[in-house]
Amino acid sequence: MKKYAIGVDFGTESGRAVLVSLKDGQELSEHVTPYAHGVMDTALTDGTKLGHEWALQHPQDYLDVLYTSVPAVIQAADADPNEVAGIGIDFTACTMLPVDEHDQPLCLKEAYKNDPHSWVKLWKHHAAQPHADRLNERAAELGEDFINRFGGKLSSEWMLAKAYQIADEAPHIYDQADKFVEAADWVISQLTGTFTRNSCTAGYKAAWHKEEGFPPDSFFASVHPKLENLVSGKLKGPILPPGAKAGSITASAADRTGLPEGLPVAVANVDAHVSVPAVGVVKEGSMVMAMGTSICHMLLGKEERYAEGICGVVEDGILPGYYGYEAGQSAVGDIFAWFVDTCVPASLTEEAEEKGLSIHELLTEKAAKLEPGESGVVALDWWNGNRSTLVDTQLSGLFIGMTLQTKPEELYRALLEATAFGTKQIVETLHQSGVPVNDLYACGGLPRKNPLLMQIYADVTERPIYTADSVQTPALGSAMFAAVAAGEENGGFATITDAAARMARVKDDVYQPSLEKRDAYRDLYSAYKELHDYFGRSSSLMKNLLRGRTKTQTTEPAGGGSIER
């Protein structure tokens, strides 16, 4: 058996490589490379303006992570590259881009570099919402069964809506693209010289089914004439499950990364999904929450069941041999950051400085002294729309119950509770659909930073919560799958279950739900549900307000399409 595997976690603002021990999953070294171009949400690098809710990235930033962080972790640990069993990556999704027949991004070609549609569309690119709406409407009109695997709605964040937006608004880019690819799969192609798709993103983000394939051509043709060849022409390529070997490091990639030529490379994965085995979950009934700026909720099952508003159920989507269920919340840590950045008085800032605390720490300290319901304030957690179970990016946040006596820490606690209520809505929806949720596992930045938040989640969901002992859980999961792709014959593992038994890590301490707070939280959740159903299902008020705001904010990029905005 070899000593190491490398996992590379590509986030929204940066990429992180981690060198992991195959003996016990310990992270021996890590290195972060910030994306030089960041998130382009107002203009391209040349100044070309972007429309409302655009979010683009530069593909070179991803390669810089590989070429900078991978050599750095090997050097930092003084490791022998020949003792590395394999390398794997995970990515935010759906983060997609158009490429030519040589897998070169169109945005790097002189002829297309000024067209926003030639660039990488980041996961949080929401400008395709009208196109998602049309796909959903047409699927409902035609009675397409595939839509039921995604809770009845496709998201604007996903591949099909983004591809449709390109066909509608930039048909010349659509025609020039040999393929639309996930950035995760594109990065793997740059390491191996061959292109493969991963079943995780193909399933959850492009509506692929292991037995039925993608939705039928007739459906896409009924939506837009250009989409008739979307599957055969733009979504082509072999689709492989998690843990499969995508290929081997090429000589060129070996030279740039410091890894040996021929090193096994795992099929790409999604950052949240790859975390499931990293916390030791390889069975039914345990929900994993990847908690950071947003939350992705993942669950394994032996049967395919439909549930309202989930992000999808995909065979082999998370672990081979299981149906993987995904749901999510579009903003969690981002909401808390928004509050701290925009809603804190100077007096709190001064108090935090005097105590040597961050604003988050001070607000958490004060919020922890409050009892559930004490403030009389309830919030909705839709500051970046709702991913599950309403699947509507046009919804917005809300506080109710404020008075002249309301304090910042009461609002802060209401936001913590609101995100927990959003998770409970997801848990109950799955549970009632016949997919049991017995306990929760949490990983990501939030569980490490905020014990109060985790206790609130346990109390609200009425389930125990186990937390990851790994600092870089997605990267650990990618390293585990890399070891599986290498196989026992190359110093790795035969299965992801074997890898999890050796490498997965959770803390001994468990957050247990409080019986004393159960009734208070049930009452608050009832209030949340009333607001949730009114503003999310009955009232168009939030969407009407959004239209008024976007009228003055939107500057359409070149090639505006035919769908009304």
Side-chain angles (χ1 to χ4, degrees):
M1 188 171 183
K2 293 197 175 180
K3 295 181 179 179
Y4 318 110
I6 292 177
V8 186
D9 173 33
F10 289 87
T12 299
E13 301 282 353
S14 63
R16 183 185 310 270
V18 178
L19 184 73
V20 179
S21 166
L22 296 183
K23 178 182 178 181
D24 55 11
Q26 291 291 330
E27 291 129 31
L28 304 176
S29 60
E30 66 175 86
H31 186 273
V32 179
T33 299
Y35 299 150
H37 301 88
V39 177
M40 296 179 284
D41 53 11
T42 58
L44 296 179
T45 54
D46 67 352
T48 300
K49 298 296 184 183
L50 301 176
H52 182 63
E53 292 199 304
W54 278 63
L56 307 181
Q57 289 196 314
H58 197 305
Q60 183 60 45
D61 291 345
Y62 309 144
L63 299 183
D64 290 343
V65 172
L66 292 177
Y67 302 154
T68 303
S69 290
V70 171
V73 295
I74 295 173
Q75 182 178 5
D78 194 24
D80 180 354
N82 293 305
E83 287 295 325
V84 176
I87 183 171
I89 74 165
D90 61 83
F91 228 99
T92 60
C94 166
T95 295
M96 61 87 80
L97 67 156
V99 299
D100 67 12
E101 63 274 16
H102 303 295
D103 293 330
Q104 181 181 5
L106 295 190
C107 62
L108 301 183
K109 291 175 170 281
E110 187 67 26
Y112 310 116
K113 67 179 184 179
N114 298 324
D115 191 314
H117 282 294
S118 73
W119 291 82
V120 177
K121 285 181 169 64
L122 185 60
W123 67 270
K124 65 178 181 177
H125 174 89
H126 289 160
Q129 185 61 51
H131 301 84
D133 293 341
R134 178 57 181 153
L135 288 167
N136 294 330
E137 291 166 4
R138 195 63 182 137
E141 292 166 0
L142 296 176
E144 294 283 357
D145 185 60
F146 79 85
I147 200 76
N148 294 317
R149 289 194 290 271
F150 303 93
K153 289 183 180 180
L154 303 178
S155 169
S156 63
E157 295 181 357
W158 299 351
M159 174 69 78
L160 300 183
K162 289 172 176 174
Y164 178 15
Q165 185 188 16
I166 293 174
D168 181 46
E169 297 181 1
H172 59 293
I173 296 294
Y174 185 91
D175 291 339
Q176 287 298 316
D178 181 66
K179 295 185 291 289
F180 294 129
V181 303
E182 286 281 350
D185 296 329
W186 179 76
V187 168
I188 292 297
S189 75
Q190 301 306 293
L191 285 172
T192 64
T194 58
F195 178 77
T196 59
R197 296 184 188 271
N198 69 88
S199 62
C200 186
T201 54
Y204 291 108
K205 311 305 178 183
W208 173 80
H209 188 270
K210 186 176 180 179
E211 296 179 1
E212 300 173 11
F214 293 101
D217 293 339
S218 58
F219 165 69
F220 290 118
S222 73
V223 173
H224 191 288
K226 277 194 174 295
L227 296 182
E228 185 173 14
N229 75 333
L230 177 62
V231 173
S232 61
K234 311 298 181 183
L235 298 180
K236 58 194 174 189
I239 299 174
L240 302 178
K245 180 180 174 182
S248 302
I249 293 280
T250 63
S252 174
D255 183 59
R256 300 295 299 272
T257 60
L259 295 171
E261 183 180 355
L263 183 78
V265 179
V267 169
N269 215 317
V270 177
D271 52 358
H273 300 63
V274 79
S275 301
V276 173
V279 294
V281 172
V282 290
K283 59 180 174 58
E284 299 175 85
S286 296
M287 174 179 279
V288 178
M289 303 183 295
M291 305 180 68
T293 57
S294 60
I295 293 183
C296 186
H297 307 76
M298 295 146 293
L299 193 66
L300 300 175
K302 282 292 187 180
E303 298 179 357
E304 182 182 66
R305 294 183 178 273
Y306 296 156
E308 180 197 12
I310 64 168
C311 298
V313 50
V314 177
E315 187 175 0
D316 296 344
I318 300 176
L319 294 185
Y322 285 92
Y323 288 94
Y325 291 83
E326 178 194 344
Q329 291 167 264
S330 297
V332 179
D334 272 354
I335 300 178
F336 312 147
W338 164 83
F339 185 80
V340 165
D341 291 342
T342 62
C343 301
V344 173
S347 59
L348 268 184
T349 302
E350 293 169 0
E351 183 179 351
E353 291 176 352
E354 290 173 2
K355 293 184 174 181
L357 301 174
S358 69
I359 300 296
H360 280 290
E361 290 170 333
L362 179 62
L363 284 170
T364 299
E365 181 182 279
K366 292 176 176 289
K369 298 176 182 178
L370 302 171
E371 292 297 321
E374 178 182 338
S375 68
V377 178
V378 176
L380 288 176
D381 53 316
W382 302 340
W383 262 250
N384 195 29
N386 179 282
R387 185 178 295 165
S388 296
T389 57
L390 298 170
V391 196
D392 194 337
T393 62
Q394 295 180 305
L395 296 175
S396 51
L398 178 140
F399 283 111
I400 192 166
M402 293 188 294
T403 71
L404 293 177
Q405 284 73 48
T406 300
K407 298 179 177 63
E409 59 266 28
E410 294 175 330
L411 298 178
Y412 189 73
R413 179 164 183 133
L415 291 175
L416 300 181
E417 293 169 341
T419 65
F421 295 146
T423 286
K424 180 167 183 169
Q425 168 74 17
I426 292 166
V427 168
E428 288 194 341
T429 298
L430 284 164
H431 207 75
Q432 292 166 5
S433 299
V435 187
V437 183
N438 302 322
D439 48 27
L440 305 177
Y441 285 71
C443 60
L446 289 180
R448 296 194 304 272
K449 298 175 183 177
N450 200 320
L452 172 63
L453 178 70
M454 301 317 302
Q455 187 60 55
I456 289 173
Y457 271 61
D459 295 341
V460 167
T461 63
E462 301 180 34
R463 287 164 172 81
I465 299 180
Y466 303 85
T467 57
D469 194 30
S470 167
V471 177
Q472 306 300 336
T473 310
L476 170 60
S478 288
M480 291 168 62
F481 276 114
V484 174
E488 286 183 302
E489 66 276 14
N490 292 308
F493 295 100
T495 68
I496 192 63
T497 302
D498 293 340
R502 184 73 68 88
M503 301 173 68
R505 294 160 51 211
V506 292
K507 294 182 178 179
D508 294 333
D509 296 334
V510 181
Y511 292 96
Q512 296 288 354
S514 168
L515 290 177
E516 291 79 9
K517 297 181 180 180
R518 182 183 63 187
D519 291 341
Y521 272 129
R522 286 181 177 179
D523 290 342
L524 284 176
Y525 180 65
S526 294
Y528 172 91
K529 275 286 292 177
E530 186 174 345
L531 294 170
H532 173 283
D533 292 346
Y534 177 73
F535 286 103
R537 303 184 192 277
S538 303
S539 173
S540 59
L541 176 60
M542 288 182 175
K543 296 180 182 181
N544 292 337
L545 292 172
L546 175 65
R547 291 191 191 100
R549 185 168 76 246
T550 57
K551 280 181 182 178
T552 59
Q553 291 181 348
T554 301
T555 303
E556 291 296 337
S562 59
I563 291 184
E564 181 181 352
R565 287 166 186 75

